[in-house]
């Protein structure tokens, strides 16, 4: 059966999964008793998420202003910057009971079929909080277009030192400070990297593999079934395991204790670049669905569709959401700026 929404009262100190030790921070959310069942508002004006490398100064100014306001919210406001960062920690670092009979089985939404839908909800509320703070219902998060050579460098809006989008805890060798800037390596790991003169073809082949060649069945792309009572980490899908994880590792600071910020589950939400990265992961989900033609685009299994999560919405109201409401981004009121997809014909 589906994993139910977590019981906030049973949130406990989590685990640093990079170090396999108890976390030295408490990332449980503020407690609230009444969770409302969330109904998607009817989508009238569709927000358009821009490609970060194409975003203009007016957009960047809005995004910066919204982030400043988010950082200025009181520390115990569930919409504040740190509380929002901690949402990732709470759902990933084994803080919540998973809901099954064995309370030692903690919830971890990664490496499973919950990866795409959970992150979609996370970005959805984060985006709505920012939009509300600047009173602009059209505001949409930018996406890091790392599957396209034109967008492969770290987007420059995140690296201006006096910007609220700046974060010092990144790999300093990967900042876009040279001409040409270093391109993200979609096969990067702590153990291996691709030389810059080979990175574009390597990335395009990687994307073709993750999105087409190796993503034939639903489980290939989404990840493996994860239901009530199951242990964490049943298996990640192609994008989660591949380009997604590579970007986390490529951005994280190798001189930090354990990959912080982007390279560690508990700290990744502290880097504004996380949300730009995940906006492209989210876009990959929509692109993949579009490539499916008449083949099934999502699971019909109620164990997936009825999995529930809790989030605080833009009004600081605790809401219960389900996977079933995530399958179409347009129904959630947003779409992505169209760009070309250069890996589509990159069959090796
Ligand atoms: Cu929740 Cu990219 O990780």
């Amino acid at each position: 059966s589906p994993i139910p929404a977590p019981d906030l009262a049973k949130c406990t100190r989590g685990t640093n999964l990079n170090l396999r030790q108890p976390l030295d921070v408490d990332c449980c959310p503020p407690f609230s008793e009444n969770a409302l069942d969330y109904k998607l508002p009817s989508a009238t004006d569709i927000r358009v998420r821009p490609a970060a490398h194409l975003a203009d100064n007016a957009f960047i100014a809005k995004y910066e202003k919204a982030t400043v306001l988010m950082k200025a919210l009181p520390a115990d406001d569930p919409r504040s910057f740190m509380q929002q960062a901690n949402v990732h920690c709470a759902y990933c670092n084994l803080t919540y009971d998973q809901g099954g009979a064995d309370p030692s089985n903690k919830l971890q939404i990664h490496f499973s079929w919950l990866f795409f839908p959970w992150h979609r909800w996370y970005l959805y509320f984060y985006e709505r909080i920012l939009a509300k703070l600047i009173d602009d219902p059209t505001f949409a998060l930018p996406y890091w277009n790392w599957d396209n050579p034109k967008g492969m460098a770290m987007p420059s809006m995140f690296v201006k030192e006096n910007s609220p989008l700046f974060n010092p805890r990144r790999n300093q060798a990967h900042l876009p400070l040279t001409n040409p800037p270093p391109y993200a390596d979609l096969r990067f790991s702590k153990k291996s990297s691709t030389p810059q003169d080979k990175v574009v073809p390597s990335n395009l082949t990687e994307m073709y593999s993750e999105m087409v060649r190796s993503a034939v069945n639903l489980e290939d792309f989404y990840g493996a079934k994860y239901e009530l009572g199951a242990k964490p980490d049943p298996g990640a899908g192609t994008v989660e395991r591949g380009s997604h994880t590579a970007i986390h590792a490529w951005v994280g600071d190798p001189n930090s204790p354990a990959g912080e910020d982007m390279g560690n589950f508990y700290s990744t939400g502290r880097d504004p670049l996380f949300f730009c990265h995940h906006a492209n992961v989210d876009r990959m989900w929509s692109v993949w669905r579009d490539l499916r033609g008449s083949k099934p685009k999502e699971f019909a299994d109620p164990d997936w569709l009825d999995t529930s999560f809790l989030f605080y919405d833009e009004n600081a109201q605790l809401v219960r959401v389900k996977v079933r409401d995530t399958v179409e981004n347009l129904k959630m009121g947003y779409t992505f700026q169209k760009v070309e997809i250069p890996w589509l014909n990159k069959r090796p």
Side-chain angles (χ1 to χ4, degrees):
S1 41
I3 294 176
D7 180 348
L8 297 191
K10 288 195 194 148
C11 184
T12 55
R13 188 63 65 105
T15 306
N16 186 325
L17 293 170
N18 289 26
L19 303 176
R20 295 273 153 196
Q21 281 166 12
L23 275 177
D24 50 16
V25 289
D26 174 5
C27 55
C28 294
F31 183 74
S32 166
E33 239 157 48
N34 74 37
L36 302 181
D37 285 316
Y38 189 70
K39 290 241 321 253
L40 285 175
S42 59
T44 41
D45 296 321
I46 300 292
R47 299 165 203 265
V48 182
R49 294 184 177 171
H53 68 288
L54 300 175
D56 62 18
N57 288 337
F59 172 84
I60 295 170
K62 275 204 284 193
Y63 186 21
E64 288 179 345
K65 183 175 171 205
T67 304
V68 167
L69 292 170
M70 187 185 240
K71 289 181 172 179
L73 289 171
D76 61 351
D77 188 314
R79 300 164 299 182
S80 69
F81 185 80
M82 252 331 243
Q83 293 286 353
Q84 285 295 303
N86 284 344
V87 170
H88 195 271
C89 172
Y91 274 98
C92 313
N93 289 84
L94 312 176
T95 73
Y96 290 131
D97 268 15
Q98 190 255 30
D102 178 357
S104 72
N105 260 350
K106 300 289 185 185
L107 182 61
Q108 153 59 308
I109 57 81
H110 293 88
F111 313 125
S112 81
W113 70 1
L114 300 184
F115 174 76
F116 283 107
W118 183 84
H119 287 86
R120 182 163 277 187
W121 277 124
Y122 184 26
L123 265 63
Y124 173 87
F125 289 113
Y126 191 87
E127 181 172 76
R128 295 178 72 89
I129 292 166
L130 291 172
K132 167 141 193 185
L133 286 167
I134 52 170
D135 197 17
D136 180 352
T138 70
F139 177 79
L141 288 167
Y143 65 86
W144 181 357
N145 192 191
W146 37 249
D147 59 305
N148 182 332
K150 296 188 179 119
M152 274 175 192
M154 192 183 293
S156 55
M157 72 174 88
F158 293 91
V159 299
K160 284 187 288 165
E161 273 201 39
N162 52 2
S163 166
L165 305 174
F166 178 76
N167 177 15
R169 292 218 282 186
R170 295 181 187 141
N171 188 326
Q172 299 300 304
H174 293 161
L175 304 181
L177 302 176
T178 53
N179 190 12
Y183 281 4
D185 174 2
L186 301 181
R187 288 175 171 155
F188 184 85
S189 74
K190 267 190 278 179
K191 290 181 208 107
S192 79
S193 61
T194 311
Q196 281 291 310
D197 62 336
K198 306 229 161 55
V199 81
V200 169
S202 162
N203 285 350
L204 297 179
T205 313
E206 175 65 24
M207 289 318 299
Y208 182 84
S209 169
E210 292 176 15
M211 295 290 284
V212 183
R213 189 164 46 105
S214 307
V216 176
N217 300 312
L218 290 168
E219 301 73 30
D220 300 336
F221 181 76
Y222 282 94
K225 177 165 181 157
Y226 181 38
E227 64 172 329
L228 188 68
K231 293 212 182 321
D233 194 3
T238 49
V239 170
E240 180 183 10
R241 193 171 58 234
S243 53
H244 157 261
T245 297
I247 292 272
H248 276 282
W250 192 79
V251 175
D253 184 353
N255 297 319
S256 65
E260 289 89 347
D261 282 332
M262 278 276 280
N264 198 316
F265 286 120
Y266 86 87
S267 56
T268 190
R270 299 174 184 183
D271 191 335
L273 187 51
F274 168 90
F275 299 91
C276 189
H277 169 38
H278 265 274
N280 202 46
V281 173
D282 193 64
R283 179 176 154 263
M284 288 302 112
W285 184 9
S286 299
V287 168
W288 185 79
R289 289 173 56 89
D290 289 345
L291 296 175
R292 292 291 280 176
S294 55
K295 284 188 266 177
K297 297 180 201 297
E298 74 263 342
F299 299 105
D301 188 340
D303 291 349
W304 187 68
L305 293 166
D306 291 328
T307 300
S308 301
F309 313 113
L310 293 177
F311 286 93
Y312 283 96
D313 72 6
E314 68 273 21
N315 302 310
Q317 168 66 49
L318 187 66
V319 292
R320 188 181 301 105
V321 298
K322 287 189 169 182
V323 164
R324 66 168 66 249
D325 284 328
T326 61
V327 291
E328 282 185 48
N329 58 278
L330 276 178
K331 290 202 178 138
M332 296 179 84
Y334 69 92
T335 186
F336 301 90
Q337 177 182 11
K338 286 257 178 295
V339 292
E340 75 257 40
I341 300 180
W343 43 262
L344 256 183
N345 54 1
K346 288 298 173 198
R347 192 151 58 93

